[in-house]
């Protein structure tokens, strides 16, 4: 099990990012509020089509924030393109859910990825 | 010069009861990360504790580094009763949900617990919880007992 912790600044807010690699999952925590916030689960679906499909769902916290789902979707796609079949658990405890903040989170995670 | 043969039985006894501490502590700003491993009855138990200002995330791994089932536990109204919910996974016997609940009692914080201890292993679960709580006390993450309460 590997882990990496770092602190970034997203839209002026200090963001703590923790990345963990387990045997069957990647865990990403990005928080500005001192708690894990909304937890999402993203996985690649096994299918017959050439294009992969992904299942992304909020399993804890806010269920009506599409930007959070989009963030998880981008990361699971990146994981899949990198060749890993592991699922992703991502928790986002952010002060705002703007596109800029989430883009910042996605790029910080990809820059320091464990896959 | 001949070297003395090690006492193999004594060595095995020490190893089987050894605490394999590989404490890795990371500090990511407001997040404190502690990882350690211990051995119980030839089973390797791995622990990861992430301390956030208002929450604690704990992972317990049993012989593997799979994420396992995730539970969320927190004090809820009325009267701060502890509620536990399975977030991911969730086997029929809810291995780990009891640990999550008791961690909230000990720390007073919201807990997210990921645990891959196999089901129907109450001794292993109890031992893992004991090791985890000892570590939390050592790290200062537990709240002080009320004065006058029996230990």
């Amino acid at each position: 099990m590997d882990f990496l912790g770092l602190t970034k600044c997203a839209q002026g807010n200090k963001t703590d990012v923790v990345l963990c690699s387990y045997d069957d999952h990647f865990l990403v925590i990005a928080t500005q509020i001192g708690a894990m916030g909304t937890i999402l689960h993203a996985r690649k679906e096994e299918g017959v089509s050439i294009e992969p499909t992904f299942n992304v769902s909020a399993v804890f916290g806010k269920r009506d924030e599409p930007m959070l789902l989009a963030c998880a979707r981008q990361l699971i796609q990146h994981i899949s393109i990198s060749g890993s079949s592991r699922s992703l658990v991502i928790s986002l405890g952010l002060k705002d859910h703007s596109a800029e903040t989430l883009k910042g989170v996605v790029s910080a995670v990809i820059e320091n990825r464990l896959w | 010069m001949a070297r003395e043969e090690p006492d193999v039985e004594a060595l095995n006894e020490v190893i089987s009861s050894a605490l394999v501490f590989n404490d890795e502590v990371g500090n990511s700003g407001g997040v404190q990360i502690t990882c350690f491993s211990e051995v119980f009855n030839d089973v390797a138990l791995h622990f990861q504790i992430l301390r956030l200002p208002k929450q604690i995330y704990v992972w317990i791994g049993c012989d593997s580094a799979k994420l396992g089932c995730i539970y969320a536990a927190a004090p809820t109204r009325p009267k701060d009763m502890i509620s536990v919910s399975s977030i991911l996974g969730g086997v029929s016997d809810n291995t780990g949900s009891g640990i999550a609940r008791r961690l909230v009692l000990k720390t007073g914080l919201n807990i997210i617990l990921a645990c891959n201890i196999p089901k129907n292993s109450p001794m292993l679960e109890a031992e893992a919880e004991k090791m985890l709580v000892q570590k939390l006390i050592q790290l200062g993450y537990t709240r002080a007992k009320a004065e006058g309460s029996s230990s």
Side-chain angles (χ1 to χ4, degrees), chain A residues 1 14 27 59 85 100 106 108:
Chain A
M1 189 272 296
K14 183 179 87 104
L27 172 69
V59 293
S85 58
E100 289 72 30
V106 168

Side-chain angles (χ1 to χ4, degrees), chain A residues 22-86:
Chain A
Y22 299 96
D23 282 352
D24 56 348
H25 280 83
F26 292 107
L27 172 69
V28 172
I29 300 173
T31 175
Q32 299 170 339
I33 61 172
M36 285 175 72
T38 300
I39 302 177
L40 304 107
H41 183 230
R43 64 178 193 274
K44 186 170 152 185
E45 301 264 88
E46 297 300 322
V48 295
S49 61
I50 299 167
E51 293 295 320
T53 53
F54 303 101
N55 185 306
V56 182
S57 59
V59 293
F60 188 76
K62 293 183 193 286
R63 318 258 168 164
D64 56 354
E65 287 284 351
M67 292 306 294
L68 301 184
L69 292 164
C71 176
R73 171 71 172 74
Q74 270 208 295
L75 288 174
I76 188 66
Q77 183 164 3
H78 199 275
I79 292 170
S80 172
I81 289 170
S82 305
S84 174
S85 58
R86 288 187 230 177

Side-chain angles (χ1 to χ4, degrees), chain B residues 6-147:
Chain B
D7 185 344
V8 174
E9 271 188 30
L11 191 61
N12 280 339
E13 193 180 347
V14 167
I15 289 172
S16 66
S17 63
L19 299 175
V20 181
F21 265 96
N22 184 22
D23 272 28
E24 290 179 57
V25 179
N27 210 316
S28 159
V31 184
Q32 291 163 328
I33 306 170
T34 306
C35 295
F36 65 102
S37 295
E38 302 208 18
V39 176
F40 172 70
N41 285 354
D42 294 330
V43 174
L45 290 168
H46 309 288
F47 299 86
Q48 180 188 31
I49 304 170
L50 263 66
R51 174 68 157 101
L52 296 155
K54 299 177 191 171
Q55 198 168 35
I56 294 180
Y57 164 81
V58 176
W59 170 71
I60 303 175
C62 175
D63 269 343
S64 78
K66 290 190 173 176
L67 183 63
C69 305
I70 304 181
Y71 299 93
T76 51
R77 288 177 286 189
K79 298 181 187 175
D80 277 347
M81 295 167 64
I82 313 293
S83 296
V84 186
S85 175
S86 168
I87 294 180
L88 206 64
V91 292
S92 55
D93 69 345
N94 291 329
T95 309
S97 62
I99 300 179
R101 185 182 167 277
R102 286 184 289 276
L103 289 181
V104 174
L105 286 169
K106 291 258 187 306
T107 61
L109 292 171
N110 297 347
I111 295 286
I112 303 287
L113 171 77
C115 170
N116 74 5
I117 293 176
K119 59 180 182 177
N120 299 326
S121 309
M123 294 299 297
L124 195 55
E125 202 181 334
E127 191 62 32
E129 183 178 343
K130 191 171 108 181
M131 292 173 181
L132 178 60
V133 169
Q134 277 174 356
K135 192 66 174 176
L136 290 173
I137 293 171
Q138 189 186 331
L139 291 167
Y141 295 165
T142 52
R143 53 181 173 184
K145 284 183 189 171
E147 285 198 29

